[in-house]
Amino acid sequence: MILGARACAIAGAAGCASDPDAQAAPAKTDDQIATTNLAPADAARLNVGVAQDFDLAGQHRDAILHYERAMRLDPDAHPTGHRQLGRLYALVNEPARAHQSYTEALRLDPNDAGLLEQVGAFELAQGRPADAESHFRHAVAVNPDFDEAWLKLGLALAAQRRYPEAMDAFEQVMDPAEARANIAIAMARIGDFDGAWQQMLLATEGRPDLQRYNGLIETMRAEQAAAIGDQW
């Protein structure tokens, strides 16, 4: 594929043939870029642009390569560079590097509510709900109207079986019946299907439309039963 003008500026003219079947040349190394007429800050900005192009194309490892190169050339090249690297490392299943990048991002911008929510979601996906909770609580302290952070705070609390607190968090962004349905789903996620069905009975008393969640819970029950069966 031809990556466009930004990639051509880094890769060199050989990668920019007008032939639609031509292949872009490999991106040059830092040492090669250093020998061009580009100042490090300019080369860094070009690498950020190419990283964004690769990211949009779903080529996450290539995006990582160029973000890292940009940050080495000029640490100020992208104000959210570490945050983007954290997200990308999570996508390619390198959680240790994702955690390292997110830690650096938080050091540089500890009160960014969006970043806090993103890091919390990462921690929750990694099975660390208590760590996730702290980030979500910080996010809603910074921005009390941050609905997604309230919702995920509820999920983090429910994952720790702290259901009354989870209800309080859910009710910041939804009515009590729907909050109870979300508690039911959280219970189902950890295998408490008896509790989940009880919560759904309460939730649907005044909101029969919430019965749509019953199918999701039943699917989760079947999937967990199948997973247990596969272990034998």
Side-chain angles (χ1 to χ4, degrees):
M1 63 174 287
I2 296 179
L3 294 176
R6 288 185 294 207
C8 291
I10 294 176
C16 303
S18 59
D19 180 355
D21 295 324
Q23 299 295 311
K28 292 184 178 182
T29 65
D30 291 344
D31 290 340
Q32 289 172 312
I33 290 175
T35 64
T36 71
N37 293 326
L38 288 176
D42 293 331
R45 281 193 292 273
L46 280 170
N47 273 283
V48 166
V50 174
Q52 291 170 336
D53 290 343
F54 276 127
D55 192 6
L56 287 172
Q59 296 174 250
H60 299 132
R61 290 197 178 276
D62 289 317
I64 287 170
L65 172 70
H66 286 280
Y67 271 125
E68 288 185 333
R69 183 174 294 161
M71 302 300 285
R72 286 196 300 271
L73 286 163
D74 179 8
D76 298 322
H78 195 315
T80 64
H82 293 292
R83 176 177 177 174
Q84 298 303 329
L85 281 169
R87 176 181 59 82
L88 288 163
Y89 274 127
L91 285 172
V92 299
N93 197 29
E94 293 195 38
R97 289 187 173 184
H99 186 271
Q100 183 179 12
S101 295
Y102 278 139
T103 298
E104 181 63 13
L106 286 171
R107 185 186 70 79
L108 295 170
D109 199 355
N111 294 311
D112 183 309
L115 172 61
L116 288 160
E117 184 273 333
Q118 186 173 332
V119 177
F122 166 74
E123 296 288 3
L124 190 58
Q126 293 298 308
R128 296 190 287 267
D131 292 334
E133 176 194 346
S134 68
H135 292 302
F136 295 138
R137 287 195 182 280
H138 192 169
V140 297
V142 173
N143 180 6
D145 297 323
F146 196 167
D147 289 358
E148 189 67 19
W150 279 114
L151 177 62
K152 290 179 180 173
L153 174 59
L155 293 174
L157 290 164
Q160 300 173 74
R161 301 176 185 265
R162 291 159 58 189
Y163 300 123
E165 292 174 82
M167 277 287 293
D168 289 342
F170 286 140
E171 287 181 1
Q172 298 295 318
V173 295
M174 62 187 70
D175 65 45
E178 194 160 1
R180 197 170 292 281
N182 275 273
I183 292 291
I185 292 169
M187 287 180 163
R189 282 198 178 103
I190 60 175
D192 183 2
F193 291 101
D194 289 340
W197 292 126
Q198 290 172 7
Q199 293 297 316
M200 283 306 303
L201 284 172
L202 293 170
T204 55
E205 282 181 355
R207 287 282 306 276
D209 60 301
L210 294 177
Q211 290 178 8
R212 66 183 184 273
Y213 289 110
N214 289 343
L216 174 60
I217 293 172
E218 182 57 35
T219 298
M220 294 168 70
R221 187 200 64 76
E223 288 176 348
Q224 290 191 29
I228 292 171
D230 289 342
Q231 295 175 6
W232 292 92

